[in-house]
Amino acid sequence: MLKINNVSKIYLKGKDKFTALQDVSLEVEKSDFLAVVGPSGSGKSTLLHLVGGLIQPDSGQVLFRGNDVYKMNSKEANRYRTKNVGFVFQQFHLIPYLTVYENIKIAETESERKNGKIEALLEKCALLPLKNKYPSELSVGEKQRTAFVRAIISEPEILLADEPTGNLDPENSKILMTLIKEFNEDGGTVLLVSHEPETTNYATKIITLRSGKRV
Ligand code: ADP
Ligand code: ADP
């Protein structure tokens, strides 16, 4: 599904160069739930953003089904970001002036539009009674489940989750992780970045980063 070959990423911090990732390689199979663990600042988010097509690597390749994500034409790249991958972030990133339903609706792609699909997913995630509420009226657990539904509404092949439980209490973490696990069991690939050891209980594979290197 994904092949990451010797990727490196260097950031400029003022005038200094800082190597956030160095020569990292990994392979992700379709059935994988891969957890990327490591201390804060070890390059986990950078790796996830590289896989998501959000930042260009300085060297190396990210291959999705054999296609280099950073050599795609704009149409393919757009398709990759909107259909092949879905993102869940620590900080929800819901649009504040849209309701739960509208936040999800705008992420839906034409080809996947099916009547009642949003409602069915809202029901599964215990959000249906909240569909007309605004993000500010939701608990953190409800916000993150809304972000999760938004991420999977277009049936992406890969779910990229960046510290998704970072702002949740243990109970809401468990509910969210169970939903992510079900996405995986239903055939979706999961890449999860976390520094919370419990989240690795759901993973089928674990890799550790330290100072930008895979250890
Ligand atoms: P993690 O997710 O493991 O906490 P990150 O990938 O977020 O690690 O960050 C790795 C390192 O790169 C950190 O030292 C961070 O400060 C730095 N970094 C991340 N993004 C940027 C950026 N856009 N510009 C400069 N430095 C960055
Ligand atoms: P989180 O993963 O908690 O949402 P971020 O991804 O925003 O956090 O940032 C991760 C790390 O990268 C932090 O240490 C942050 O200070 C650093 N960072 C992010 N963007 C930049 C940037 N543009 N310049 C410098 N450091 C950055």
Side-chain angles (χ1 to χ4, degrees):
M1 179 69 76
L2 269 177
K3 210 163 174 220
I4 293 152
N5 291 332
N6 304 99
V7 292
S8 295
K9 180 70 195 176
I10 297 164
Y11 291 118
L12 281 177
K13 284 194 170 175
K15 283 191 167 173
D16 299 329
K17 285 184 175 170
F18 177 83
T19 304
L21 275 185
Q22 194 176 344
D23 255 340
V24 172
S25 297
L26 66 105
E27 272 188 59
V28 183
E29 310 289 338
K30 183 171 164 46
S31 58
D32 282 346
F33 185 136
L34 177 75
V36 180
V37 301
S40 182
S42 57
K44 302 182 302 295
S45 292
T46 298
L47 180 64
L48 211 68
H49 291 168
L50 283 168
V51 172
L54 301 177
I55 51 171
Q56 188 102 25
D58 290 291
S59 58
Q61 299 169 307
V62 178
L63 304 174
F64 171 72
R65 298 190 184 285
N67 291 323
D68 190 328
V69 168
Y70 291 93
K71 292 214 168 88
M72 290 175 173
N73 64 36
S74 60
K75 198 178 157 195
E76 288 169 331
N78 191 42
R79 188 190 149 79
Y80 180 70
R81 280 180 219 158
T82 56
K83 274 233 22 97
N84 300 131
V85 298
F87 255 105
V88 181
F89 306 93
Q90 179 174 353
Q91 326 274 6
F92 326 127
H93 295 305
L94 297 171
I95 299 176
Y97 52 84
L98 297 180
T99 64
V100 165
Y101 186 86
E102 291 163 347
N103 262 284
I104 297 162
K105 183 79 189 160
I106 57 161
E108 207 180 25
T109 54
E110 205 82 43
S111 59
E112 294 298 341
R113 217 160 269 170
K114 286 176 205 147
N115 274 342
K117 188 167 154 209
I118 297 180
E119 278 85 354
L121 273 172
L122 287 175
E123 170 88 70
K124 181 177 162 73
C125 297
L127 291 169
L128 195 53
L130 305 172
K131 69 182 254 198
N132 295 319
K133 299 257 186 227
Y134 289 90
S136 62
E137 303 175 276
L138 304 177
S139 72
V140 285
E142 291 158 357
K143 282 182 199 171
Q144 194 59 307
R145 294 204 298 282
T146 301
F148 170 75
V149 175
R150 176 183 59 183
I152 64 162
I153 193 68
S154 286
E155 301 177 8
E157 281 147 291
I158 307 172
L159 179 68
L160 302 173
D162 192 350
E163 302 277 3
T165 59
N167 283 315
L168 305 185
D169 55 80
E171 188 179 339
N172 274 302
S173 294
K174 204 170 160 206
I175 296 170
L176 184 78
M177 289 307 299
T178 304
L179 289 167
I180 294 177
K181 185 69 187 166
E182 280 169 19
F183 171 85
N184 176 237
E185 285 164 354
D186 289 345
T189 309
V190 176
L191 243 85
L192 169 110
V193 157
S194 182
H195 66 267
E196 293 171 44
E198 315 82 67
T199 54
T200 57
N201 294 340
Y202 299 84
T204 58
K205 263 191 203 170
I206 301 169
I207 70 158
T208 306
L209 293 180
R210 201 150 283 149
S211 306
K213 289 186 199 135
R214 187 173 166 183
V215 293

